[in-house]
Amino acid sequence: MATIYVDDRPYEVDPGKNLLEECLSRGLDLPYFCWHPALGSVGACRQCAVKQYRDENDQRGRIVMACMTPAMDGARISIRDKDAAQFRAGIIELLMSNHPHDCPVCDEGGECHLQDMTVMTGHNYRGYRFGKRTFRNQELGPFINHEMNRCITCYRCVRFYRDYADGKDLDAFASHNHVYFGRHEDGVLENEFSGNLVEVCPTGVFTDKTLKGHYTRKWDLQTAPSVCAHCSLGCNTIAGERYGQLRRILNRYNAEVNGYFLCDRGRFGYDFVNGDRRLRQPLLRGQPTGAPEALRRAAALLGRQSRIIGIGSPRASLEANFALRTLVGPRNFFSGMAAGEDHLVARMLRALRGARVRTPSLHEVESADAVFILGEDVTQTAPRLALAVRQAVKQAPRTEAMRLRIPRWDDAALREVMQQQKGPLYIATSGATKLDEVATASCRGAPDDVARLGFAVARALDDSAPEVAGLADGDRALAEAIAGALRAAERPVVISGSGSGGEAVIDAAAQVARALGRERTADLCFTAPECNSFGLGLLDAMNTSEAFQRVADGLVDAVVVLENDLYRRAPGAVVDAMLESAQVIAIDHSAHKTVEGAAVALPAGSFAETEGTLVSNEGRAQRFFQVFVPEGEVKPGWSWLMELAQAAGRNELATLASPDDLLAALARAVPVFAPLPEHLPTAAFRVNGEKVPRQSPRASGRTAVQADVTVHEPKPPADPDSPLAFSMEGYPQQPPSALITRFWAPGWNSVQSLNKFQSEVGGALTGGDPGVRLLEPGANGYAAYSEEIPVPFERRDGEFLVVPLYHIYGSEESSAAAPAVAERCPEPYAALNLEDARTLEVEEGALVEIEFDRALYRLPARLSAGMASGVIGVPMGIAVQGVDVPAWSPCRKV
Amino acid sequence: MLSMLRTIWTVFLHLFRRPVTVQYPEEKPYLPPRYRGRIILSRDPDGDERCVGCYLCSAACPVDCIALQAGEREDGRRYPEWFRINFSRCIFCGLCEEACPTYAIQLTPDFELCDFDRQSLVYEKKDLLIDGTGKYPGYNFYRVAGLAISGKDKGASENEDKPVDVKSLLP
């Protein structure tokens, strides 16, 4: 700790930080532009000028940039000093001399860092009489709108896009005051994290194009803390609503999870909530009906004497799943995951609950210094994790550079030393991945070969691990190299997941982690298929195939399907047969084939219309909150289940009335969930006796929005289920971190106000980051080495192994229904190795015929040098769904 | 006694004063153009809607009686898809007019807004939009703002230079 004096007041600071960070951490207002807590300092904008004095006798001082000056012990600075204040106002005036006078039509207006800083410095009138510089804009695809005139040349966009996210297609062009930030030509921004430009850009150059389609100012959005439901990472988001429509997703900082950034699927995949596929009223065999009639019909199916089963869903909340489990009884409850998926999740959880391995948070992955990825195309299945891996790759060279006594925040200097050096990252997958470009080495193989490499690495790390028989010399050398890198690292991470479809791959990753964890607990990170897969895995239910079997055996009268499209879990013929032989009650937010075929379909709320708890791939249980009250007869899944139980005269759910009750009952029924009720905020929670408002104090139109229907303003909807209120009234100050509905502080209207919510800049939120970790390394858990090492993959004549491929846009069910994301979905294809294509005499785009899992597919071939030999990759959710892969298939040219 | 007589005398004198009563509604008082009465939405000198849907009026409104939804036309102009003022709540404070960056929303000297039915005091965009420029004849936001719309390219606004040629390295 060091002491600095700001305007003659002493502050305890961390000498490893710079003055700007420390001033902001201490709650002092100092304007800045180019500095970003995750990107470091470059001293480009000259906005954070302060006066520094040599000692207490120094009266003159000198102007320094706070972001480029270390917070050294005894430093004396002044923010209020007249010269410094004038300097800052001058800089703003200069930046504003070309600003285009278009705040009224700018989507950033009202949450603009430039507006805030301009007001903060006091500049208010353009004194420059001459013309303004102008630029032409570019068309950057469905996510991002470009308005280059608003640029103040802080370089944050390219520093994020190129330096942080390793994007290639955004750059600074031209020179002097013509510097232009864009692509070399119009076109879609390719990087998966382009949406963060919206938050990184301090002005309105890059804005959210999906928001523009239904534009609302920040102060009018009704917002609630949410958790992204589009992959298993559980990134924290803020979802905003206006006029009954979900309008945008913003990042909600959580130092342990997503930090400052989200992926584009999470940010732009929300529009399915407003989509025309939404179910807004109950259906009877596809025909719309009223809720009482639907309940009556459903209740008739669920009578006391009827044999019912429940199929849950890994994309529904714990509360809804547990309500269904309670209604039908644990012995009749199925996880909703396909058999393959279920086994994968079970294996992952078994590894993580065992001794010697620990599941790291995303933040811990970021600070890893060696990474080994087995069988998972992280960029496509868990994009934000790929961004963390990209930071991990920079970790080792950065540590090396910091030996030259360059502080952590001095970004430009560190990069100068680091150049293109990369830390160890090894990838073994069946198809090429985007992370290959930063990998030390990446190798391709069928899932079994990938697993064998993993087992070989474990063996190289620890002699007591079982030997891999018949390993090629090249693979052995690679395994030695990987083992060496992992052993040398201070904080190695092994990453794997369900993406390869191979159980052996997961075992291999666990084996590596156990071998690494001989001396100390090793980090093992798994990606799960869906947002609550781990939650369902921990509920320990039977899988969906068993449900189908039970129906086929004639042991079931009625099936309740909760938020699940069974056609994505099993071959169509199997589901068709089930829909015919049993009465199905489907509860979901969108219409799909299962809903259409169900006897009764009930409209459930999406993530924005309900509240619930999800368990992320880290084993972190996080609560998301209802953002708005939906139109029509939409209700939360658990609420429908309670009404169903009541209508059918069943008393299983009679004592449970709210999600809090469900959570408490869950904690009692399943020990692993025991910590939930005390750590997650319950509905009874109040700050100073008040609820936390979802609306900003400046929310407008209260007496006009519904005036066309009636001038008698209705009472705002009550929310008995959460500590939040559908109102602008409530506790006006910062709520606890799990209940942050928006980032705003007086004078800080933009997302940069986040500084005011953190214990220190870039650190944990005040009061600790939200979420409860449910998986900690078990003391005496399962930790023995697996002996089940698969035999080497062997090609077959005329047959190929079909392996799953994933796409960030398209593979995930709900985000693919959002128009902006749908625009980015690829067409179906089958990926083949070049050599295999030559043997099959297939050219790029030619149709190939594959047949597996009782279905025939004709897909255009995509030739890829990155595919392993002897396998065919098919994009899941795009070309095929509901199939059990890897599977052998004949392959013919059509 | 004296006081009573003085009062009677004063009242008597008023018989010879000019009456101040205005015979409303037969006779209408003069109200200055800046009188704060019924709110209208004006058009710019070229006849297009001035409102760009920036939401500042609705934010400024102390009784929250203005609601709208911004949209974008094909020519690039922002406009309100719908615009509603609930005059049964309006207090005619004029803050919306003060907040309006495009002179679109203006208060007029028309104060005759009585009705038996509150519901008919809810004005939609069709009731609010007039065909003229109102009090500010010359102003056209899009001639000043740096946003390109069809018919006005980048660099064509007031006080703007021609768009930069990004590929040029000349000073």
Side-chain angles (χ1 to χ4, degrees):
Chain A
M1 275 302 182
T3 308
I4 63 166
Y5 297 86
V6 182
D7 290 315
D8 290 331
R9 277 189 60 181
Y11 292 91
E12 289 290 307
V13 299
D14 174 359
K17 299 276 176 75
N18 61 49
L19 288 176
L20 174 60
E21 282 175 296
E22 286 304 333
C23 286
L24 294 172
S25 290
R26 308 300 140 214
L28 302 167
D29 285 348
L30 182 56
Y32 63 87
F33 287 113
C34 67
W35 171 82
H36 184 286
L39 305 176
S41 312
V42 287
C45 70
R46 319 313 283 171
Q47 187 58 61
C48 60
V50 291
K51 202 167 230 186
Q52 186 170 24
Y53 300 95
R54 226 173 318 128
D55 48 47
E56 58 265 52
N57 302 320
D58 184 0
Q59 295 301 313
R60 286 181 61 194
R62 63 197 175 99
I63 284 181
V64 296
M65 294 308 130
C67 75
M68 296 303 285
T69 313
M72 278 187 302
D73 195 23
R76 293 183 163 270
I77 58 167
S78 169
I79 296 176
R80 282 201 302 240
D81 179 80
K82 226 169 62 192
D83 292 344
Q86 203 176 8
F87 185 98
R88 295 195 295 263
I91 292 291
I92 284 271
E93 182 164 12
L94 200 67
L95 294 176
M96 293 296 284
S97 64
N98 287 314
H99 206 67
H101 188 87
D102 65 351
C103 295
V105 289
C106 176
D107 289 354
E108 194 85 354
E111 49 180 324
C112 177
H113 190 53
L114 180 60
Q115 278 179 344
D116 292 348
M117 296 300 106
T118 307
V119 173
M120 197 179 282
T121 57
H123 167 70
N124 55 12
Y125 221 84
R126 184 175 186 255
Y128 181 72
R129 290 182 291 120
F130 305 97
K132 290 176 182 177
R133 173 201 63 200
T134 58
F135 291 107
R136 292 199 186 284
N137 302 330
Q138 287 181 332
E139 173 55 46
L140 297 177
F143 297 154
I144 302 289
N145 191 60
H146 192 223
E147 184 60 51
M148 196 42 215
N149 279 358
R150 297 168 185 153
C151 182
I152 56 162
T153 337
C154 70
Y155 278 78
R156 264 189 184 191
C157 53
V158 288
R159 288 175 60 221
F160 168 75
Y161 199 87
R162 297 183 73 84
D163 299 347
Y164 193 89
D166 298 337
K168 309 233 163 2
D169 58 335
L170 183 84
D171 214 336
F173 297 96
S175 59
H176 54 95
N177 75 334
H178 289 176
V179 174
Y180 185 90
F181 298 93
R183 296 182 87 249
H184 67 292
E185 58 181 14
D186 282 20
V188 176
L189 277 176
E190 282 157 16
N191 195 277
E192 297 79 18
F193 307 97
S194 63
N196 294 303
L197 293 175
V198 175
E199 288 182 51
V200 165
C201 177
T203 159
V205 177
F206 299 100
T207 48
D208 185 338
K209 204 180 252 182
T210 62
L211 173 67
K212 196 181 177 198
H214 38 224
Y215 185 64
T216 305
R217 295 267 177 223
K218 178 182 182 176
W219 60 72
D220 278 343
L221 286 170
Q222 174 164 278
T223 47
S226 195
V227 175
C228 183
H230 299 305
C231 86
S232 61
L233 298 179
C235 294
N236 292 194
T237 58
I238 291 176
E241 172 265 1
R242 178 76 169 165
Y243 305 143
Q245 260 190 330
L246 192 62
R247 301 234 155 156
R248 77 151 166 209
I249 298 289
L250 273 187
N251 182 53
R252 178 162 63 95
Y253 181 86
N254 181 327
E256 285 300 313
V257 188
N258 44 315
Y260 290 90
F261 306 116
L262 287 181
C263 75
D264 287 0
R265 177 156 90 190
R267 189 182 295 271
F268 302 113
Y270 67 89
D271 235 355
F272 76 93
V273 174
N274 313 319
D276 44 12
R277 302 279 301 153
R278 278 303 298 279
L279 209 54
R280 300 250 178 229
Q281 70 180 118
L283 305 176
L284 290 178
R285 292 247 172 253
Q287 297 306 312
T289 183
E293 172 66 8
L295 273 175
R296 201 181 56 74
R297 294 283 285 273
L301 302 175
L302 297 182
R304 264 259 152 254
Q305 62 287 3
S306 77
R307 297 164 300 172
I308 60 169
I309 60 167
I311 300 182
S313 168
R315 66 171 160 83
S317 65
L318 279 179
E319 285 85 343
N321 276 302
F322 183 70
L324 179 59
R325 184 178 180 265
T326 315
L327 175 67
V328 298
R331 284 166 181 205
N332 300 318
F333 177 71
F334 299 84
S335 68
M337 294 190 274
E341 206 181 331
D342 189 68
H343 295 153
L344 293 172
V345 169
R347 265 181 203 244
M348 292 193 267
L349 285 172
R350 191 168 58 153
L352 294 175
R353 294 171 89 172
R356 288 157 51 174
V357 298
R358 178 176 176 281
T359 157
S361 66
L362 273 177
H363 178 69
E364 286 163 329
V365 173
E366 259 168 26
S367 48
D369 52 356
V371 182
F372 180 29
I373 302 178
L374 268 165
E376 187 75 17
D377 187 353
V378 183
T379 314
Q380 312 295 343
T381 57
R384 181 64 184 81
L385 179 61
L387 190 61
V389 169
R390 286 178 187 275
Q391 307 322 306
V393 166
K394 292 163 197 155
Q395 190 62 31
R398 185 186 289 120
T399 315
E400 197 57 37
M402 281 164 68
R403 295 230 169 93
L404 301 172
R405 298 181 50 198
I406 303 172
R408 178 76 171 75
W409 46 263
D410 198 348
D411 191 55
L414 283 178
R415 275 178 203 288
E416 196 62 37
V417 179
M418 287 157 65
Q419 295 289 326
Q420 299 302 312
Q421 289 178 57
K422 304 259 185 297
L425 164 65
Y426 293 90
I427 302 174
T429 48
S430 300
T433 73
K434 275 195 113 175
L435 281 175
D436 291 347
E437 63 188 22
V438 290
T440 318
S442 49
C443 75
R444 298 287 97 88
D448 279 355
D449 283 349
V450 168
R452 284 170 59 80
L453 178 71
F455 284 115
V457 171
R459 166 75 183 185
L461 282 166
D462 181 5
D463 286 342
S464 59
E467 171 89 55
V468 181
L471 201 65
D473 287 344
D475 288 347
R476 192 171 300 279
L478 179 61
E480 289 289 346
I482 298 171
L486 294 178
R487 201 184 291 121
E490 227 163 83
R491 187 159 205 179
V493 170
V494 183
I495 297 174
S496 185
S498 55
S500 70
E503 291 175 29
V505 174
I506 287 166
D507 285 348
Q511 192 101 324
V512 178
R514 277 181 208 128
L516 265 177
R518 221 164 21 136
E519 282 117 37
R520 62 209 155 99
T521 317
D523 284 345
L524 173 62
C525 179
F526 283 125
T527 64
E530 278 169 85
C531 59
N532 201 15
S533 293
F534 271 17
L536 264 283
L538 292 171
L539 270 178
D540 214 9
M542 291 163 283
N543 63 54
T544 313
S545 304
E546 291 168 81
F548 289 129
Q549 190 56 47
R550 208 186 279 189
V551 174
D553 292 346
L555 301 171
V556 175
D557 299 321
V559 185
V560 184
V561 181
L562 174 73
E563 302 186 34
N564 208 336
D565 181 6
L566 298 175
Y567 287 89
R568 290 180 77 93
R569 313 283 172 190
V574 177
V575 187
D576 288 341
M578 191 198 82
L579 287 173
E580 259 170 47
S581 53
Q583 298 288 337
V584 172
I585 300 163
I587 304 173
D588 207 348
H589 55 68
S590 298
H592 45 65
K593 273 180 85 179
T594 311
V595 161
E596 283 152 16
V600 184
L602 301 169
S606 67
F607 73 93
E609 296 142 350
T610 59
E611 67 167 285
T613 308
L614 301 175
V615 181
S616 76
N617 75 322
E618 186 202 341
R620 181 182 290 266
Q622 302 182 102
R623 200 147 207 198
F624 61 92
F625 290 93
Q626 185 172 4
V627 184
F628 65 105
V629 181
E631 282 171 29
E633 295 179 287
V634 177
K635 270 181 211 160
W638 50 264
S639 171
W640 278 121
L641 289 166
M642 286 172 187
E643 291 193 19
L644 270 179
Q646 202 187 6
R650 305 177 73 106
N651 55 8
E652 286 90 347
L653 292 169
T655 55
L656 308 170
S658 69
D660 282 344
D661 292 349
L662 285 165
L663 214 55
L666 171 65
R668 284 192 300 273
V670 188
V672 69
F673 295 111
L676 292 189
E678 58 174 308
H679 284 100
L680 297 181
T682 58
F685 179 85
R686 296 286 182 279
V687 198
N688 289 353
E690 289 186 282
K691 284 193 156 202
V692 177
R694 285 183 174 89
Q695 294 173 1
S696 80
R698 193 50 275 158
S700 75
R702 183 174 44 85
T703 63
V705 173
Q706 282 155 321
D708 56 334
V709 184
T710 167
V711 280
H712 307 285
E713 289 105 34
K715 196 175 140 194
D719 185 1
D721 297 329
S722 86
L724 306 180
F726 292 109
S727 159
M728 57 180 90
E729 290 173 19
Y731 184 64
Q733 279 147 35
Q734 273 186 25
S737 60
L739 298 176
I740 292 173
T741 52
R742 75 182 56 75
F743 291 115
W744 181 89
W748 297 76
N749 298 297
S750 77
V751 284
Q752 316 290 331
S753 57
L754 172 54
N755 296 333
K756 306 279 183 195
F757 287 74
Q758 293 163 320
S759 53
E760 58 169 353
V761 163
L765 289 168
T766 312
D769 291 307
V772 199
R773 276 174 61 100
L774 298 176
L775 298 172
E776 292 298 347
N780 314 306
Y782 169 89
Y785 285 124
S786 164
E787 304 280 342
E788 297 166 35
I789 298 174
V791 294
F793 172 77
E794 274 188 49
R795 304 189 44 134
R796 294 189 192 167
D797 273 345
E799 275 204 316
F800 285 83
L801 186 71
V802 180
V803 294
L805 297 181
Y806 290 86
H807 281 276
I808 172 170
Y809 313 117
S811 289
E812 197 270 327
E813 189 181 352
S814 24
S815 63
V821 170
E823 223 175 289
R824 302 279 310 269
C825 290
E827 291 298 314
Y829 66 89
L832 273 170
N833 185 307
L834 296 178
E835 221 160 278
D836 293 338
R838 212 168 300 136
T839 5
L840 285 171
E841 295 173 353
V842 173
E843 279 156 24
E844 176 84 29
L847 284 181
V848 293
E849 200 170 68
I850 49 176
E851 189 176 357
F852 64 102
D853 230 2
R854 285 172 280 175
L856 184 79
Y857 302 93
R858 281 187 176 179
L859 299 167
R862 184 185 281 185
L863 309 191
S864 153
M867 284 306 292
S869 146
V871 303
I872 285 187
V874 288
M876 300 300 285
I878 297 166
V880 299
Q881 59 174 16
V883 294
D884 192 16
V885 281
W888 286 98
S889 155
C891 180
R892 289 175 297 273
K893 188 180 163 188
V894 179
Chain B
M1 185 64 197
L2 186 64
S3 147
M4 282 170 78
L5 287 174
R6 198 170 62 199
T7 307
I8 291 167
W9 177 241
T10 308
V11 171
F12 175 75
L13 278 185
H14 267 87
L15 286 174
F16 308 101
R17 293 264 173 100
R18 273 180 61 177
V20 294
T21 310
V22 180
Q23 291 306 316
Y24 180 83
E26 289 76 23
E27 207 179 297
K28 302 261 160 118
Y30 169 77
L31 293 175
R34 293 200 299 175
Y35 186 86
R36 299 199 308 261
R38 180 171 59 87
I39 300 171
I40 53 105
L41 288 173
S42 62
R43 291 177 185 272
D44 65 26
D46 303 333
D48 255 322
E49 280 175 64
R50 262 183 179 152
C51 177
V52 297
C54 73
Y55 294 98
L56 287 184
C57 52
S58 70
C61 181
V63 290
D64 289 343
C65 75
I66 306 178
L68 67 147
Q69 174 58 53
E72 192 176 76
R73 287 195 335 208
E74 292 214 334
D75 60 4
R77 288 176 69 112
R78 294 279 186 110
Y79 78 110
E81 286 172 5
W82 53 268
F83 196 109
R84 185 178 305 135
I85 298 180
N86 180 356
F87 278 110
S88 74
R89 285 286 188 191
C90 181
I91 57 167
F92 302 97
C93 65
L95 288 183
C96 51
E97 179 172 6
E98 231 172 86
C100 183
T102 65
Y103 292 142
I105 197 164
Q106 297 177 15
L107 277 72
T108 63
D110 176 16
F111 57 88
E112 294 163 315
L113 273 167
C114 302
D115 210 297
F116 291 107
D117 182 11
R118 269 182 77 197
Q119 195 62 49
S120 53
L121 287 170
V122 177
Y123 279 39
E124 297 289 336
K125 188 170 134 184
K126 65 175 170 24
D127 311 315
L128 296 165
L129 192 62
I130 63 160
D131 280 340
T133 56
K135 285 175 276 186
Y136 308 96
Y139 188 73
N140 185 338
F141 171 75
Y142 284 103
R143 283 193 211 139
V144 185
L147 196 80
I149 54 172
S150 81
K152 194 213 80 178
D153 197 9
K154 286 274 160 160
S157 300
E158 281 168 25
N159 226 355
E160 274 190 348
D161 295 337
K162 287 273 154 273
V164 165
D165 176 7
V166 178
K167 302 213 161 95
S168 160
L169 286 175
L170 293 174

